[in-house]
Amino acid sequence: MKITFHGAARTVTGSKHLITLKNNTQILLDCGLFQGMGEVTDKLNGYFGFDPKKITYLILSHAHIDHCGLLPRLVGEGFEGKIFCTSATMDLARILMMDSAKIQTQDAEFANRHLKPGQEKEQPLYTEDDVVKTVGNMKIVEYEEDFEIEPGIRLKFTDAGHILGSAAVHLTISEDGKSTRITFSGDVGRYGDLLLKSPQQFDQADFILMESTYGDSLHKDLEPIETMLLEVINNTCNIKKGKVIIPAFSVGRTQELLYALNGLELKGKLPDVPYYVDSPLSSKATEILKNHPEVYNNGVKETLKIDHDIFGFKGLRFIESVEESKALNQDPRPCVIISASGMAEAGRVKHHIRNNIGNQKNTILMVGYCEPSSLGGRLIAGQKVVDIFHDDYEVRAEVRSIKSMSAHGDYEDLLKFLSGQDPEKVKQLFLVHGEYEVQQNFATRLREHGFKHVAIPDYHQEFELE
């Protein structure tokens, strides 16, 4: 048995980890889009490194686009096997992939209208028809279910606490009379998350694929989210009379923002300005989360006793049409605009940034991890001029960041996630989904906690699992 890392290797996005058995059965863990990788992004998304027709099964850890976003292209290029995931992941992945197909088409059309001489036309990676075929191949496996994929391959999901439906993947594979247990963490959430339950413990594994996005960071000593939101909104909207633009992932981050803003209203502190969620996808994702109250932690359940709508408050409006979205840029009044995508790489938020970045009254507020080469990453790094839709824009707006707003666990959360494991019994721990320097630091920390065999796979690197 061997494993090859075709994405999220020494980088955060593009999750694709391929297990190949001796009988040539191939199990792909996730099939995500690379995001925010600069000029090489399109090239990375256009090359799998394996033959989609030869993949036997796919197991999807959760619905974030850097984990599911290339599934329709995989299907379009010949993958015909089952896609195993939780029911909530299927619900979210369907709307996320369909939205991705629409955004790719719209962005390609927009970019092609503004081509410079010699530039090639852009093409979307997949169509809405590819998404429909993909959803038709999905099969639901619920948390804690001991599911037999085929004789000799068993699957179990445990709650990863990252977003609605997110799961750690546990495979037990029998080969040549030997049983091997492989765990893929997916993305690990936080213990003490604003909304969700904490990640579950899991049975002993022989091999572990471990995410490491915040493997050298701690979140807990940072200011409370409500406090920082209040300060940014008050300073920008009430004092400078400007706009706050918040790039936020439609699933998870947007709902956390709405919950925090609702908390400010419950305390009588919410600034009296218009609040817009400019993302039809975010609206759909919020409704899906409302329909799954069983995932909420105890703190949210207590809030629900006094407020039946924890994602709604005075002044909030969900924007649906493109015309309404464009109208926001013509309205000079102070407001808060929450819009996807989280790294500011695509979608409506990219247009909002383009239209507001040149005014020092405005604030662009980043609320989660961004690839360093993404637009969001370049803004966080303090670049004074950024490229948006092939044109340069001077950064005059204030750029702020709430680092504690992450659905990813910090290194203490990640270590706690692994605390049920006997390090002596883990034959190899692979670090994925992280920047290389961060992974090196986290590897040192893991070795100090007894995990002697820690590897940091490179792109397309192959390992034998013995």
Side-chain angles (χ1 to χ4, degrees), residues 257-396:
L257 284 165
L258 295 179
Y259 182 68
L261 291 169
N262 183 63
L264 286 173
E265 184 185 52
L266 291 175
K267 296 179 178 68
K269 296 180 179 180
L270 186 69
D272 187 15
V273 297
Y275 296 83
Y276 300 103
V277 174
D278 185 17
S279 166
L281 178 62
S282 296
S283 178
K284 294 174 185 175
T286 301
E287 288 304 312
I288 289 175
L289 186 54
K290 285 181 181 179
N291 292 332
H292 287 272
E294 72 278 3
V295 306
Y296 297 149
N297 61 36
N298 290 334
V300 177
K301 290 176 181 176
E302 288 299 313
T303 302
L304 279 168
K305 292 178 181 179
I306 59 172
D307 184 3
H308 73 282
D309 186 1
I310 58 173
F311 303 120
F313 48 87
K314 180 183 176 182
L316 175 64
R317 182 179 162 199
F318 285 86
I319 299 295
E320 293 293 331
S321 72
V322 174
E323 290 71 27
E324 288 179 298
S325 178
K326 290 179 178 178
L328 293 179
N329 289 315
Q330 308 304 319
D331 189 340
R333 292 175 296 179
C335 66
V336 176
I337 300 173
I338 302 168
S339 186
S341 70
M343 296 190 195
E345 275 296 285
R348 295 180 181 182
V349 76
K350 199 169 182 179
H351 295 273
H352 289 307
I353 291 174
R354 182 175 67 119
N355 282 280
N356 290 282
I357 199 168
N359 192 329
Q360 61 186 8
K361 293 192 302 182
N362 301 326
T363 299
I364 300 167
L365 178 61
M366 307 305 300
V367 292
Y369 178 83
C370 290
E371 280 278 355
S373 56
S374 67
L375 176 56
R378 286 179 279 135
L379 290 171
I380 290 172
Q383 288 192 13
K384 300 301 182 186
V385 177
V386 292
D387 176 275
I388 305 175
F389 294 121
H390 307 303
D391 287 318
D392 287 338
Y393 290 83
E394 186 177 351
V395 182
R396 292 177 181 164

Side-chain angles (χ1 to χ4, degrees), residues 142-146 156-159 200-201:
E142 296 296 358
Y143 291 123
E144 300 287 347
E145 181 181 352
D146 183 10
K156 183 178 179 181
F157 287 133
T158 56
D159 194 341
Q200 285 181 271
Q201 292 289 293

Side-chain angles (χ1 to χ4, degrees), residues 38-56:
E39 295 180 357
V40 301
T41 305
D42 290 344
K43 182 179 179 181
L44 291 170
N45 285 327
Y47 175 68
F48 285 119
F50 53 83
D51 184 352
K53 297 184 183 70
K54 293 182 178 179
I55 303 299
T56 317

Side-chain angles (χ1 to χ4, degrees), residues 3 5 7-13 15-17 67 184-187 208-214 414 429-435 439 442 455-457:
I3 187 166
F5 297 86
R10 304 191 184 187
T11 190
V12 172
T13 65
S15 181
K16 293 176 210 71
H17 315 298
H67 291 256
F184 170 41
S185 70
D187 284 348
I208 300 175
L209 284 66
M210 184 73 195
E211 76 113 322
S212 52
T213 307
Y214 282 101
L414 299 180
L429 193 154
F430 300 101
L431 290 185
V432 293
H433 300 273
E435 299 298 332
Q439 292 177 314
F442 189 44
I456 306 175

Side-chain angles (χ1 to χ4, degrees), residues 183-201:
T183 284
F184 170 41
S185 70
D187 284 348
V188 180
R190 300 173 61 183
Y191 294 80
D193 182 82
L194 268 181
L195 295 172
L196 304 179
K197 296 176 182 176
S198 294
Q200 285 181 271
Q201 292 289 293

